[in-house]
Amino acid sequence: MSNPLSELSAAGVAVWLDDISRDRLRTGNLADLVANRSVVGVTSNPTIFQKAIASSDLYNEQLHDLTVRGVDVGEAVRAITAADVRDACDVLRGVYDASGGVDGRVSLEVDPRLAHETERTVAEARALWWSVDRPNLFIKIPATLTGLPAITETLAQGISVNVTLIFGLDRYDAVIEAFLAGVEKAIDAGRDVGNLTSVASFFVSRVDSEVDARLDKIGTPEAKALHAKTAIANARLAYERYEKAFATPRWKALAAKGAKPQRPLWASTSTKDPSLPDTIYVSELVAPGTVNTMPEATLQAFADHGQVRGDTIRPYYDDARQVFAALASVGVDLDDVIETLETQGVQKFEDSWNQLLGTIAQQLGRSGSD
């Protein structure tokens, strides 16, 4: 039976849930969303885990065992999050198999405090991959400058990667290059790359939040007319770069050896501005070969009243460029916007991770962190 989410899937957009919890897994809620809401993937982050663990008693038995064993806080976090992600991978295994390894993926993030440490990020990625031990896992690595070589090396070792915290077009180009280099290294090492996949998580609503605040300070009618236009324009131009990058002879040579393209993933798709439609960052970013990961409120809103109007990206490249030109004309420095957002993004993830450590430390009945 057709509904907005199934129509979105038919238009080439993979519907993913931006949430995970042991309650959601044990009650069968995730399985229900897969069966009835077209969900074919799951993303997680430290904030999501912190809220899940703080609000549920389903973690008590594992926390008790970890306490008795004297496990330190850092390893306890890894054990608890890996257990939930492993179970989610099992729920989505049928999707993974049916899609040939494209969907059915569940993402688990490396410690965000390692965002500027290449070697430790790779080591953490290997440890998490081993700990979850499911082929449909994605390891989330931030697209910082030091994260880029970690992305390449992790892929080279046959580990699928969700590249997170992408805000700008130039950095997205670097992410695509890191992906291509990683696949090439994996092939050179004799690895089968048929199940080696990746997504590039391009953050959306946070861009509008930052730019619109700057437009408000400028205060001119021309500036106010640009409200809520930057994020969608930015994502649309990212998709244009995706199209170009995966139409080159270099990519075609990798595809001939079984490689799958790195799909753009639209993240941060909940609407922060209450004056905007609550599904705007879904309905305005529809194109084949994309992923949209939504918190459940956005997913259910789209199921209720979302509209799929065909491709809402490729016909609007020129419009997007005009938005960029207009932003420059009113004095918005997009390069500074992107730098600010990346710095804030890494810091927010670090803060969430520290909160997660604190929650686990409290539950373990001791203080301190790893």
Side-chain angles (χ1 to χ4, degrees):
M1 181 173 164
S2 180
N3 62 67
L5 288 170
S6 64
E7 291 172 13
L8 192 64
S9 298
V13 181
V15 177
W16 288 14
L17 175 69
D18 189 27
D19 192 54
I20 192 172
S21 70
R22 199 156 292 183
D23 290 73
R24 193 182 288 282
L25 290 160
R26 297 283 175 86
T27 61
N29 172 267
L30 178 58
D32 180 67
L33 291 174
V34 172
N36 299 307
R37 284 288 189 257
S38 301
V39 170
V40 294
V42 170
T43 48
S44 68
N45 61 49
T47 302
I48 287 170
F49 277 117
Q50 191 275 329
K51 290 178 180 177
I53 295 165
S55 62
S56 174
D57 60 5
L58 291 180
Y59 296 91
N60 290 353
E61 183 178 358
Q62 187 178 16
L63 283 162
H64 171 76
D65 290 346
L66 292 166
T67 301
V68 170
R69 290 170 53 210
V71 174
D72 69 41
V73 177
E75 285 305 314
V77 168
R78 293 179 183 92
I80 291 167
T81 57
D84 281 0
V85 169
R86 187 183 306 114
D87 287 347
C89 283
D90 290 344
V91 172
L92 285 154
R93 181 59 186 265
V95 175
Y96 171 82
D97 292 338
S99 66
V102 174
D103 281 309
R105 298 280 180 167
V106 184
S107 297
L108 179 59
E109 191 163 342
V110 298
D111 183 338
R113 297 172 302 175
L114 307 179
H116 302 294
E117 298 184 56
T118 302
E119 189 174 358
R120 289 186 67 191
T121 293
V122 176
E124 182 84 355
R126 282 198 298 262
L128 293 175
W129 184 259
W130 172 85
S131 180
V132 173
D133 192 27
R134 295 294 186 273
N136 49 330
L137 174 67
F138 265 144
I139 300 296
K140 285 179 77 174
I141 299 176
T144 57
L145 288 175
T146 45
L148 295 171
I151 291 160
T152 295
E153 186 55 34
T154 301
L155 287 162
Q157 296 186 25
I159 298 172
S160 295
V161 175
N162 176 344
V163 183
T164 190
L165 287 178
I166 308 171
F167 295 99
L169 297 174
D170 290 344
R171 184 59 55 84
Y172 180 44
D173 286 340
V175 166
I176 293 173
E177 172 58 35
F179 166 75
L180 294 173
V183 173
E184 287 167 343
K185 288 185 70 173
I187 290 172
D188 289 345
R191 298 186 186 278
D192 178 359
V193 296
N195 289 325
L196 181 65
T197 60
S198 180
V199 291
S201 295
F202 211 88
F203 279 54
V204 184
S205 66
R206 290 192 198 180
V207 174
D208 271 346
S209 296
E210 179 66 25
V211 171
D212 289 356
R214 298 186 185 208
L215 292 171
D216 286 341
K217 287 183 180 180
I218 295 169
T220 64
E222 293 81 5
K224 291 179 180 179
L226 290 167
H227 257 250
K229 292 185 176 180
T230 309
I232 291 169
N234 196 39
R236 285 170 172 168
L237 293 177
Y239 189 85
E240 182 182 39
R241 297 194 181 199
Y242 156 77
E243 281 196 306
K244 290 179 178 177
F246 291 94
T248 61
R250 180 185 183 187
W251 169 248
K252 289 177 181 178
L254 295 175
K257 296 178 181 179
K260 293 182 173 70
Q262 180 188 58
R263 291 182 293 173
L265 178 150
W266 313 128
S268 182
T269 56
S270 61
T271 304
K272 309 297 190 294
D273 183 344
S275 69
L276 297 176
D278 55 0
T279 60
I280 187 172
Y281 298 121
V282 182
S283 60
E284 297 300 318
L285 294 173
V286 176
T290 58
V291 179
N292 196 306
T293 185
M294 313 172 212
E296 188 171 10
T298 303
L299 188 146
Q300 299 292 12
F302 199 86
D304 178 67
H305 53 266
Q307 294 184 333
V308 178
R309 307 187 313 276
D311 188 332
T312 52
I313 292 182
R314 289 179 292 186
Y316 301 103
Y317 291 154
D318 287 342
D319 291 346
R321 279 187 276 273
Q322 289 173 17
V323 169
F324 272 36
L327 288 166
S329 71
V330 300
V332 174
D333 183 347
L334 271 181
D335 289 339
D336 184 69
V337 167
I338 299 309
E339 183 178 349
T340 298
L341 287 169
E342 180 179 308
T343 301
Q344 291 176 348
V346 171
Q347 187 60 55
K348 285 178 180 178
F349 277 5
E350 286 185 14
D351 291 346
S352 293
W353 187 264
N354 287 325
Q355 286 182 336
L356 177 58
L357 290 171
T359 296
I360 297 298
Q362 186 178 30
Q363 298 278 13
L364 291 174
R366 69 173 84 96
S367 60
S369 61
D370 66 342

